[in-house]
Amino acid sequence: MSHGIDASAKATSIGSLELHALSLRRHILRMAERVGQGYVGQGLGIADLLAVLYSREMKYDPKNLAWLDRDRFLLSIGHYSIGLYAALAEAGVIPVDELDTYGADQSRLEMSGSEITPGFEMTGGSLGHGLGQAVGMALGVRLDKKASRIFNLLSDGELQEGSTWEAAMAAAHHRLDHLFAFIDCNNQQADGPPGQVLNVEPVQEKWKAFGWDTQRINGNDIHAIVDAIDAAKENSGKPHAIILDTLMGKGVRTFEERDKNHFIRVEPDEWRLAREQLEEYAQPRHRGSA
Amino acid sequence: MSISKSKSGVTGNILSSHVDGAERTATAPFGQALIREAEANPRIVGLTADLGKYTDIHLFASRFPERFFQLGMAEQNLIGAAAGLARTGFVPFATTYCVFATRRAYDFIAIGAALGSANVKIIAGLPGLTTGYGGTHQGIEDLALMRSIPNLVVIDPCDATELGQVVSAIARYEGPVYMRLLRGEVPVVLDPDTYQFEIGKAKLLCEGTDVAIISTGLMTARALKAVSQLNSSGVSAALLHVSTLKPFDIEVVLALVKRIPRVVTAENHFTTGGLASAVADAIVDAGMAVQLKRVGIPNCFCESGSIPYLVRRYRMDSEDIANAASELMRGTARRE
């Protein structure tokens, strides 16, 4: 193949995917430590999905981002950009060194990501934008008779935006079975858990009622993510919603246990502990995959 | 207060056209022009939010069913999906009414379409007082809202002639555009053999020396009548048609105003935030002393009713433009 990466040829074993996710988590900690704050909890929580998408599932060419046959990843939730920057750096889309500019003045890596960053297909952050644009892209690539797929990452809190449901209806009506929505249910939004802010459950039943193929899995279990995507691909005629129950701060125990972890502020002396905890988390995985 | 029972004074059907007393009309100039462009450019696609036959895009849908997407009553998704199509290399024309596009989908126009300059064409029907339905359907502040969005081109065409030319121009232009739509039977006012629309260019339609009328959209048709009325009463009026509100042709506007510092603006929109405000900004920024009168909709939600009634009620007719010009002339005479 002259261009384009079939990610499945690059990293297939669960062990190597876990190592990839660990690399993303290390990048995320480094970015957040530099600025002393950030959406580190979200990034750590979604690292497993990003590892599977960018090193196994998606077709893209880091040297030719405009490749027409590429799969497209749309980040609705702009504040999760810390995770996507890490994934894009690992994928060779942006230089790893550039991660040190996260959130800095004049950096391309904004705290809430936008399409000024290479590899960002759209601007999210004002929540509820991703799925609508995903619908348009899915209509577009189908009209062009491309095999491209569209992946959209949403959050549980984002389900409160009505535009998400406008798009959900349209995707099912137009039978966009090459469209995959991942809904990160980390049970935390700006003002608290969705159950207290505005209940979004039952999430899976809602998507099913809107005419989607649905699954709900542990979003921090790489095996489960791989299986869910493979199962969705076998199911034609409907768009696919894969609901991920994730733990914010996954891999760093003190972040996992923090009460209010939508936007984490960390004292300078806590970062060393965080890094140590991440390596502790990684240890049994290394052994398991060896 | 007596209530009129005459049939001429009732709110029309939402689908009805208002030809404004025009001698010549064209049918569905937007739909016809879009088909023409789409025959030459296979990347053009159409979308609507349950207003296909109300925005004349149903003609495109019949001609190119595979390139047309019905998205139902969901304007946020209409604009979002159009942005997604643009980002896969298509040229989407998305239709709804002004009120729904700009009020319901503002964030989607701003962030989805304009922030990244996605190649989205938003075609918005029922501008200003072209529907007898009241505050829910009359697009009275859409130009103000759209003018405030960076990267967005904002156009208010005068008639069928210009509308067709605008469709052709924006299909070739790379970037987001908001165009006000005149649908159904649309007056033919401008001569297709001599008039040529260009994005961002104001056009001097009448030369004059006493008063300068600057108009946009369908008000230019009424302004042309006002010029005749003024001429017959001995007032020489120039008429500048500014169909592109953004980018605004400051140079041409200022050149005219410098020559004739008595200006009447006329727009089918609030007199704030639209054409009059753009003209006033240009004048003030240039440090000019100019007398300005604004014809347009005052800052209120308008009544429902027949269109002729509404045009009279809100002083939007050719006589109102001519009267404003005459008042400026009388004021000048008094001072002199």
Side-chain angles (χ1 to χ4, degrees):
Chain A
M1 203 155 74
S2 60
H3 59 301
I5 289 175
D6 187 348
S8 61
K10 200 171 136 198
T12 47
S13 79
I14 299 301
S16 62
L17 289 170
E18 284 178 342
L19 278 176
H20 192 95
L22 177 60
S23 299
L24 300 190
R25 288 192 165 95
R26 285 178 179 139
H27 288 317
I28 289 163
L29 272 192
R30 180 173 143 188
M31 279 185 267
E33 181 172 359
R34 210 204 128 273
V35 287
Q37 58 188 18
Y39 297 99
V40 61
Q42 288 86 343
L44 293 171
I46 207 63
D48 298 303
L49 173 73
L50 293 171
V52 172
L53 288 179
Y54 276 85
S55 69
R56 178 184 188 267
E57 192 56 41
M58 281 171 49
K59 283 182 299 185
Y60 61 96
D61 181 352
K63 302 295 171 227
N64 178 18
L65 294 174
W67 181 36
L68 291 176
D69 291 312
R70 72 187 184 281
D71 292 331
R72 289 159 176 82
F73 177 77
L74 277 67
L75 185 69
S76 279
I77 32 185
H79 56 297
Y80 280 53
S81 62
I82 189 169
L84 184 52
Y85 298 144
L88 291 171
E90 276 296 305
V93 174
I94 56 175
V96 171
D97 288 348
E98 192 173 348
L99 295 179
D100 289 338
T101 70
Y102 170 63
D105 293 345
Q106 298 188 306
S107 169
R108 296 191 297 181
L109 312 186
E110 299 168 289
M111 199 72 84
S112 179
S114 77
E115 59 204 289
I116 68 162
T117 309
F120 275 60
E121 299 278 1
M122 54 148 318
T123 298
S126 169
L127 300 191
H129 280 261
L131 196 60
Q133 295 214 29
V135 165
M137 288 185 192
L139 291 169
V141 297
R142 185 168 72 186
L143 194 52
D144 271 338
K145 300 186 168 49
K146 302 281 186 197
S148 305
R149 295 155 313 157
I150 315 297
F151 299 98
N152 176 216
L153 175 60
L154 306 87
S155 68
D156 46 2
E158 187 177 11
L159 302 183
Q160 293 159 0
E161 290 286 358
S163 56
T164 295
W165 300 107
E166 292 185 3
M169 251 188 288
H173 179 86
H174 291 281
R175 298 176 177 278
L176 302 176
D177 59 5
H178 51 310
L179 170 56
F180 297 74
F182 297 96
I183 299 104
D184 179 28
C185 291
N186 60 18
N187 202 35
Q188 188 69 35
Q189 60 186 114
D191 272 349
Q196 289 173 21
V197 176
L198 184 70
N199 187 27
V200 296
E201 296 289 353
V203 174
Q204 188 171 1
E205 285 79 353
K206 283 189 172 76
W207 288 89
K208 195 172 174 200
F210 272 73
W212 287 55
D213 163 43
T214 65
Q215 299 174 70
R216 186 160 190 163
I217 60 168
N218 176 353
N220 293 123
D221 178 344
I222 283 195
H223 212 297
I225 296 170
V226 168
D227 285 350
I229 294 173
D230 286 349
K233 287 192 288 194
E234 295 300 313
N235 205 341
S236 65
K238 292 177 176 179
H240 313 283
I242 298 176
I243 297 136
L244 309 165
D245 286 305
T246 65
L247 188 59
M248 289 188 79
K250 181 70 181 178
V252 176
R253 207 175 56 248
T254 56
F255 293 173
E256 290 174 8
E257 291 164 356
R258 234 167 242 224
D259 250 3
K260 289 184 177 174
N261 52 5
H262 176 74
F263 185 87
I264 291 183
R265 279 181 215 286
V266 182
E267 298 308 316
D269 58 323
E270 288 182 294
W271 288 105
R272 191 176 53 82
L273 180 65
R275 284 197 306 272
E276 285 169 5
Q277 288 180 346
L278 178 60
E279 297 311 318
E280 280 167 29
Y281 165 79
Q283 279 312 311
R285 287 161 188 277
H286 281 218
R287 279 198 297 277
S289 62
Chain B
M1 185 179 143
S2 69
I3 295 173
S4 165
K5 299 236 169 118
S6 110
K7 279 192 176 173
S8 62
V10 297
T11 303
N13 181 292
I14 190 75
L15 196 48
S16 61
S17 306
H18 176 68
V19 299
D20 211 15
E23 287 167 20
R24 283 181 59 208
T25 62
T27 306
F30 165 66
Q32 303 293 354
L34 190 61
I35 287 173
R36 244 182 353 257
E37 291 301 315
E39 276 166 353
N41 181 358
R43 304 307 289 177
I44 290 176
V45 294
L47 308 85
T48 194
D50 194 33
L51 288 173
K53 67 184 177 201
Y54 295 77
T55 57
D56 292 344
I57 202 169
H58 65 301
L59 301 174
F60 174 91
S62 304
R63 175 71 182 75
F64 300 105
E66 74 290 352
R67 287 157 66 182
F68 175 75
F69 305 107
Q70 173 61 264
L71 291 170
M73 273 187 273
E75 291 77 16
Q76 301 179 100
N77 192 50
L78 172 77
I79 304 300
L85 278 158
R87 291 194 162 92
T88 45
F90 287 94
V91 186
F93 280 71
T95 74
T96 178
Y97 290 158
C98 299
V99 284
F100 303 142
T102 65
R103 291 176 185 164
R104 300 192 87 112
Y106 191 84
D107 191 40
F108 293 76
I109 297 174
I111 304 303
L115 188 146
S117 285
N119 198 16
V120 172
K121 317 302 173 188
I122 300 155
I123 310 299
L126 304 190
L129 299 180
T130 54
T131 173
Y133 289 37
T136 53
H137 284 68
Q138 294 156 346
I140 49 185
E141 84 287 34
D142 59 319
L143 296 177
L145 292 168
M146 296 296 99
R147 277 183 67 229
S148 67
I149 297 180
N151 300 337
L152 190 64
V153 168
V154 182
I155 304 170
D156 188 6
C158 164
D159 71 338
T161 300
E162 185 167 46
L163 224 156
Q165 295 177 356
V166 172
V167 170
S168 176
I170 65 176
R172 289 164 175 75
Y173 169 81
E174 178 80 26
V177 176
Y178 177 81
M179 185 194 85
R180 279 180 144 195
L181 169 72
L182 301 169
R183 60 99 193 269
E185 289 300 311
V186 177
V188 177
V189 177
L190 302 170
D191 181 352
D193 293 332
T194 56
Y195 183 81
Q196 184 54 56
F197 169 81
E198 294 172 84
I199 295 173
K201 300 287 182 200
K203 300 282 172 174
L204 192 67
L205 300 183
C206 303
E207 191 48 271
T209 52
D210 295 330
V211 64
I213 301 172
I214 302 176
S215 61
T216 188
L218 60 76
M219 290 303 277
T220 293
R222 294 174 193 163
L224 279 165
K225 290 182 194 162
V227 168
S228 302
Q229 292 161 19
L230 288 164
N231 282 345
S232 59
S233 60
V235 175
S236 168
L239 173 58
L240 185 68
H241 174 51
V242 187
S243 43
T244 311
L245 279 302
K246 189 177 181 179
F248 189 63
D249 196 346
I250 291 176
E251 221 170 280
V252 168
V253 167
L254 288 184
L256 175 68
V257 169
K258 192 176 177 188
R259 195 157 55 80
I260 312 172
R262 287 170 296 279
V263 178
V264 175
T265 58
E267 62 201 298
N268 178 29
H269 182 267
F270 280 166
T271 52
T272 48
L275 175 70
S277 291
V279 170
D281 280 356
I283 290 169
V284 171
D285 288 352
M288 291 180 178
V290 173
Q291 296 175 67
L292 177 70
K293 280 200 174 284
R294 308 174 188 223
V295 174
I297 302 167
N299 192 266
C300 68
F301 289 106
C302 299
E303 294 175 22
S304 63
S306 68
I307 293 169
Y309 164 76
L310 295 172
V311 169
R312 281 197 309 276
R313 166 76 179 77
Y314 296 99
R315 300 173 191 223
M316 300 272 288
D317 214 344
S318 53
E319 289 80 15
D320 302 302
I321 301 170
N323 287 343
S326 300
E327 280 170 34
L328 280 180
M329 293 307 295
R330 279 199 295 277
T332 305
R334 268 203 301 277
R335 267 194 298 281
E336 283 166 0

